[in-house]
Each structure stands twice: as structure tokens, then as C-alpha cells.
Amino acid sequence: YLDREETIHRIKFIKEIEECINYSQLEYLYCSPKKKEKVLDSFSEDLLNLIKTEAKNLDLSSKEVILIGFSQGAMMSMQCLLINEFQFGGIIGYSGALRAENVKAAESNITNGKHKYADTPVLLVHGQQDEVVPFQSLENSKNLLNEIGFNVQTLSRPNLGHGIDPEGISAGMEI
């Protein structure tokens, strides 16, 4: 149960994230490929600073923070996992995708082909009928993370489009 003040604080936190995402999407859509990489890095850093602030406010260590994202939120969660200076407790991504550019942005956290937080639990869930983010993104993301040492759990959901179903939620609760 959250009291009124904590509820208002969390709503403001969510609105800050939404503002960052909306601004980032617009800027990202209309810039050159070189600038796209900088925008992605900038937005990820902004989001990480926001998460760090909120974790501190709630007296949580980074290992007590699990990032859960849907679609672009899943993409941002994976990006934050890769570039963060501290280890998260886990990542749960629903209907997202990771690209080689994301891994490249994390070069400073990769030594001898292995990410320094490769033991972080990662669960990726994707609907086979996803009409927004192609289903093959699940395997592509898993492979990119596996290549740098992560042991990624995946859950493929038949008859699910771009969404989250009870089985995906149940799998996420196991992390």
C-alpha cells in the first residue's frame, strides 16, 4: 500500500520517463545516423540518472533494481543494462529488440568478449504474431547478449501479437 505522497511521487517519476521517451523519439526520428547513436546514448544516460535518483530515494542498491520494459521500454532496459556503471538485479523485456549498435555503445563494459555484468538475469518474452517489433528480434537480441557472456532466458508466445500475456507475466515473476 502506497500513501498519497508516495503515489504522487511515483506518478511524477513516470511522467518524467514519458517526457524523456517522447522527446527522444522525436529527436531520434529526424536526425542523421551518427547523431542517432549520440541521441540513444544521451537518452540512456538521462534514464539511468533518473533510475539512480529514484533508487537512492527509496534506499535501494542497484542490485535491488529490476528493469522491466515493454517494446521501446524493453529496448531501453537492455541498453541501460549494457552501459550502466552498476549492476542491476535483472532485466525483463517484453516485445523489444537489441541491435549491434547497442552492444557497441557498451564497449567500455566488455573485456575479452565478456560484459562485466554478464551474470545479470535477463528474460526476454516475445509474441510470435507481433506486428510491431518482428518476432525474430527475440532470437537476435538473445544472440547479441549471449555473444558478450549473458545467459538469456527467452519465452516465445504463440498467438500473441505486440503485447504481454499472463504466461509472460508469470515468467517475469520468476526472475
Side-chain angles (χ1 to χ4, degrees), residues 68-114:
I68 303 170
F70 170 70
S71 195
Q72 184 176 355
M75 298 171 197
M76 290 307 304
S77 294
M78 288 186 277
Q79 176 71 10
C80 288
L81 164 70
L82 293 175
I83 67 168
N84 196 24
E85 60 190 70
F86 303 104
Q87 185 171 17
F88 288 116
I91 302 293
I92 303 171
Y94 296 96
S95 299
L98 189 69
R99 298 173 51 163
E101 293 88 357
N102 302 109
V103 175
K104 184 179 177 195
E107 286 177 334
S108 64
N109 285 340
I110 300 169
T111 305
N112 297 324
K114 185 172 181 180

Side-chain angles (χ1 to χ4, degrees), residues 35-95:
K35 189 166 183 197
K36 282 186 179 186
E37 191 173 317
K38 288 181 182 178
V39 169
L40 181 62
D41 291 345
S42 171
F43 176 60
S44 300
E45 291 296 334
D46 290 347
L47 182 57
L48 284 168
N49 287 333
L50 189 59
I51 292 167
K52 189 186 298 184
T53 299
E54 288 304 309
K56 184 177 179 182
N57 289 341
L58 296 169
D59 199 28
L60 296 174
S61 72
S62 63
K63 282 191 126 185
E64 294 174 296
V65 174
I66 297 176
L67 298 183
I68 303 170
F70 170 70
S71 195
Q72 184 176 355
M75 298 171 197
M76 290 307 304
S77 294
M78 288 186 277
Q79 176 71 10
C80 288
L81 164 70
L82 293 175
I83 67 168
N84 196 24
E85 60 190 70
F86 303 104
Q87 185 171 17
F88 288 116
I91 302 293
I92 303 171
Y94 296 96
S95 299

